Structure formats: structure tokens, C-alpha cells
Amino acid sequence: MSLTGQVRPIVAAVVVLATTVYAARAEEANDYPTSARAEYVYGCMKANGETRQSIEQCSCSVDVVASIVSYERYVTAETALSMSQVRGNLGTQFRTSEQANAAVNDLRRAQAEAEVRCF
């Protein structure tokens, strides 16, 4: 077998490996379902005006947040924020939970980064 014949399988293996790594990273970065992204953009647009520019900015914002905070962590933070508004013992549990507060803080930091990058 010639040198060229030996190199081709190695190059093919490297290409397959690189493609697999890229696909895995893309999945990690895109683990937010479309409905969650749409809901985020909708809420963002309600807060920032319903203009073409706000669509662009809010779409950018959700992409930045998704690149920083996993979807699971995002759901935890959104649930904590929602449930902390409930009166009584149940709301208190969400307001005082270290895990919930950490998730909310992660989300707020990601949103601050999105604000800097997108608005």
C-alpha cells in the first residue's frame, strides 16, 4: 500500500471525529426546545417593544443565554422565579432555596451578558 493509501483512512477518521465533536457541541448549545426559545423572545419583545429590531435583539439574547446556561438550569431558574411569587410556605421555600437562588443567579448573569452582546 502506498503512502497516499495509508493517509486516506487516517484523514477520513479525523474528519469523522471532528464532525462528531462538532455535532455534539451543537446539540449542547441547542438544547432549548423551539417553544422555550419562542416564549423567551415573546417575553423579551413585550419588555423591549414589538419592533423588527427587538426581534433581532431578543433572538440574539436567547442564543446567548442558551450558550451559557443549560436548558435544565434555565427551567430550574424560571420555575424558581415563578414559584417565588407564590404567597405562603411554598413561595418561601423557593425564595430561600440555595439551589433555586443559584440557578436564578446563573440565569441573571447570562441575561446580563446577553444584554451587553445584543442590545
Side-chain angles (χ1 to χ4, degrees):
M1 184 184 295
S2 69
L3 183 57
T4 305
Q6 293 173 343
V7 171
R8 283 186 184 156
I10 294 171
V11 170
V14 168
V15 169
V16 169
L17 178 61
T19 303
T20 303
V21 168
Y22 177 76
R25 286 189 179 152
E27 276 185 29
E28 290 173 16
N30 195 21
D31 65 344
Y32 283 51
T34 303
S35 59
R37 287 177 181 267
E39 185 177 305
Y40 182 100
V41 170
Y42 179 76
C44 176
M45 288 179 64
K46 285 294 188 184
N48 292 292
E50 297 175 7
T51 64
R52 179 70 188 151
Q53 182 179 6
S54 71
I55 291 172
E56 295 295 327
Q57 292 170 323
C58 293
S59 296
C60 172
S61 180
V62 74
D63 289 342
V64 171
V65 169
S67 74
I68 297 171
V69 177
S70 71
Y71 180 64
E72 182 179 334
R73 191 77 165 163
Y74 175 80
V75 169
T76 300
E78 285 293 311
T79 301
L81 287 168
S82 176
M83 294 302 294
S84 68
Q85 296 178 24
V86 173
R87 294 178 187 237
N89 190 36
L90 183 59
T92 301
Q93 290 176 4
F94 280 91
R95 286 188 293 275
T96 60
S97 164
E98 284 185 35
Q99 181 182 3
N101 287 330
V104 169
N105 289 336
D106 289 346
L107 177 59
R108 287 188 174 142
R109 278 190 290 276
Q111 288 174 326
E113 179 65 24
E115 181 81 18
V116 169
R117 291 190 200 178
C118 302
F119 289 88

